Every structure is written in C-alpha cells, then in structure tokens.
Amino acid sequence: MTNKYSNYFCGEDGYCNNYDEAQIVVVPVPYDGTSTWQKGADRGPASLIEASGTLEMYDIETGAEVYKRGIFTAPAVTEDSSPEAMALAVEKEIGRYLDEGRFPVLLGGEHSVSIGAIHAFAKRYDDLTILQFDAHADMRPEYEGSAYNHACVMARAQEVAQVLQVGIRSMCIEDKENSDLSRVFFRYQMHGNSGWLKEMLSKLTGKVYVTIDLDCFDPSVIPGTGTPEPDGMTYREVLDVIKAVNQQCEIVGLDVVELLPLANNKVSEFAAAKLVYQILSQRFQ
C-alpha cells in the first residue's frame, strides 16, 4: 500500500499541505514525449518525490531546515498532446506561482519541459541567466520535426535570456554552430583548471535560473538517466558551483530533469531528491 506522504516532496516529516504557508512550490511534470533513446523519464518526478520522504530535514552544511519555509507539492502538469502544448502549459503554471511570489521547483520528465518554465521566468526578469548543468549542449534549432524537442531546449532558452552551459561533453555540429562557445564550459576544460569557475561567475547576471539535466553527473553518481555520458561531474562539484552562484546572485528558480528510475536501484532518485533539498537549503539558509 502506498503511503499518502509519498505524493509530497519531503514526505511525512516535511510536507506542507497549506499552500498559503508555502514559499516553495514543487511542480511535477511527468512528460517523456520527445526523448530519443531510453524512455521512462515520465516516471522521474514521482520516483524523486517518493525518495524525498527518506531525507533528513536538517542540512548539515548550511545548518538549515528549509522545509520550515513551506514546501508545497503541486498537482502534476500533464498536458501531453504535443511538446509545444506542454511548454505552454508549464509556462502558464510556473508563471502563476511566480506572480504569487513563490519559488518554483520543476521536476521532469525530459528536458523539454524546461522550455515553458524558462519562458515564464524570462517574461518576468530582464537580467536573467539560464545556468545549465548538462552532458549535452541541447542547442539544435530543431530535431525530429520539432523546435521543442529535448535536444533544442537551450536553443529556445538563448532566444529569451543569456545562457551559460556547464559540464558539456557531447554535441553535434548543429549544436556547435548554434552555440556561443565563450559561454560553454566543456567538461574536458574543467579538469585541472581552477580558474573556470571564476570565469563562469563573471558572466552571470543578477538573477539566475538553474536547470539541471541529471546526465551532467557521471553515471557512477547518477546512473538513472536516459542518455548517460562518461566523464561527468561529481555531486560535490555541482553543489559547490551552486553554492558559489548563490553567494553572488539571486537564484530565482530551479528544475531537475531526465531522471529515469532503474529497477532495484534507488541511488539516482535519492541523489536527485537530496540535490533539490540541498540547493533549497543553500538558497534559503
């Protein structure tokens, strides 16, 4: 029998059932309409939320108990007639939470769900940077007949905001031709280069939206993703970048996408849930 708290981020110990008291809104988007290799990212949000129920609510590094800020889990966005319709549905939902003064956390689903959220933020912030953690550039102008494919998410993002890309280690020639390479921090360039972070921070604006495709991590850290790539970032590397960004800028929103739950292995969903909680702990400490 499923515990009712498995439907809420932070589970029994930390869920907020009163929307009026919540500063943070978790928005599940179980969509997997354009992924092109392994399917299953539509199961990611529910799996991550269920795993979050096993988290400790005290964060050692910040000394924070961020759940006390009120973390409300919204109903899932389920429009699936087309990736374009999904983007519009997400944009509408995220825009509503922003207009009410909430901090939205979008949980995918595949990466195309981020397009709508990015549009919502870009319409409300003039000085916005989209900070992408990813193995893939996702800069194709169009893929498989759609400009809203998961391989095109950052191409759509750079049309409405500044983009910085971190951890990239896979791209096609169309990605390269459509990218500003001065704003791409390739994984191979990060190795043994302590100066890359300072350079990246210098390119940020005042407001930052963070989008995390879980394949930015090495598969040894998070194996449960649809398009794993070797030579990825460690958990600590990603968290330290977030910490540095938070000290310099205002993080205004977050998404975590491309979780593909594996049978008999809960490492990926727990790591993803803890990542969300620790980023919120940094943001609201």
Side-chain angles (χ1 to χ4, degrees):
M1 184 175 183
T2 302
N3 187 314
K4 69 173 183 176
Y5 297 108
S6 66
N7 297 320
Y8 301 96
F9 189 83
C10 290
E12 183 174 3
D13 291 333
Y15 85 107
C16 174
N17 65 353
N18 187 344
Y19 180 73
D20 292 335
E21 297 177 356
Q23 293 186 39
I24 300 159
V25 179
V26 172
V27 185
V29 187
Y31 180 70
D32 195 20
T34 77
S35 60
T36 49
W37 187 22
Q38 300 182 90
K39 291 287 189 179
D42 55 323
R43 296 183 281 111
S47 185
L48 188 156
I49 289 169
E50 182 178 11
S52 74
T54 66
L55 293 169
E56 300 286 2
M57 296 295 100
Y58 172 73
D59 181 67
I60 296 172
E61 190 167 344
T62 61
E65 293 178 285
V66 71
Y67 78 95
K68 292 181 178 179
R69 298 279 189 156
I71 302 177
F72 180 84
T73 304
V77 180
T78 56
E79 170 60 62
D80 61 0
S81 60
S82 71
E84 293 82 1
M86 172 56 75
L88 288 173
V90 171
E91 179 181 345
K92 180 179 178 180
E93 195 76 355
I94 296 298
R96 176 168 70 89
Y97 298 130
L98 288 174
D99 291 343
E100 293 174 351
R102 318 291 179 180
F103 182 94
V105 179
L106 184 153
L107 302 180
E110 47 136 295
H111 208 168
S112 68
V113 303
S114 304
I115 296 173
I118 290 167
H119 284 172
F121 278 89
K123 288 180 178 178
R124 290 161 177 81
Y125 294 104
D126 294 329
D127 59 341
L128 183 69
T129 296
I130 310 301
L131 177 59
Q132 172 201 15
F133 293 84
D134 208 319
H136 307 89
D138 292 344
M139 276 289 188
R140 299 182 196 225
E142 181 180 284
Y143 191 61
E144 295 195 337
S146 175
Y148 286 75
N149 189 282
H150 74 110
C152 310
V153 56
M154 300 315 294
R156 303 288 75 78
Q158 73 175 359
E159 294 171 346
V160 297
Q162 298 185 61
V163 169
L164 283 175
Q165 301 177 278
V166 173
I168 306 301
R169 53 197 191 276
S170 180
M171 62 167 29
C172 66
I173 193 63
E174 291 86 1
D175 287 319
K176 181 180 179 182
E177 291 170 348
N178 201 37
S179 297
D180 179 351
L181 298 182
S182 71
R183 302 181 67 82
V184 182
F185 293 85
F186 292 104
R187 179 59 176 157
Y188 84 92
Q189 295 172 326
M190 296 162 62
H191 288 295
N193 176 13
S194 60
W196 81 266
L197 179 57
K198 183 178 180 180
E199 182 184 353
M200 188 275 287
L201 292 171
S202 73
K203 296 177 183 288
L204 291 173
T205 55
K207 310 293 185 184
V208 177
Y209 178 85
V210 178
T211 178
I212 300 178
D213 185 326
L214 291 171
D215 65 28
C216 76
F217 291 96
D218 192 81
S220 63
V221 179
I222 295 186
T225 187
T227 50
E229 288 276 353
D231 191 30
M233 297 179 72
T234 69
Y235 188 93
R236 173 47 55 182
E237 282 180 305
V238 172
L239 199 61
D240 281 349
V241 175
I242 295 292
K243 182 177 181 179
V245 171
N246 187 61
Q247 290 171 345
Q248 177 174 305
C249 301
E250 181 184 358
I251 297 175
V252 293
L254 167 69
D255 70 54
V256 174
V257 299
E258 298 284 357
L259 173 64
L260 193 161
L262 302 177
N264 303 315
N265 185 336
K266 298 293 186 181
V267 168
S268 300
E269 43 265 66
F270 181 81
K274 183 150 188 172
L275 179 69
V276 171
Y277 197 77
Q278 289 197 282
I279 292 174
L280 291 174
S281 298
Q282 291 286 345
R283 170 62 176 80
F284 288 95
Q285 63 181 299

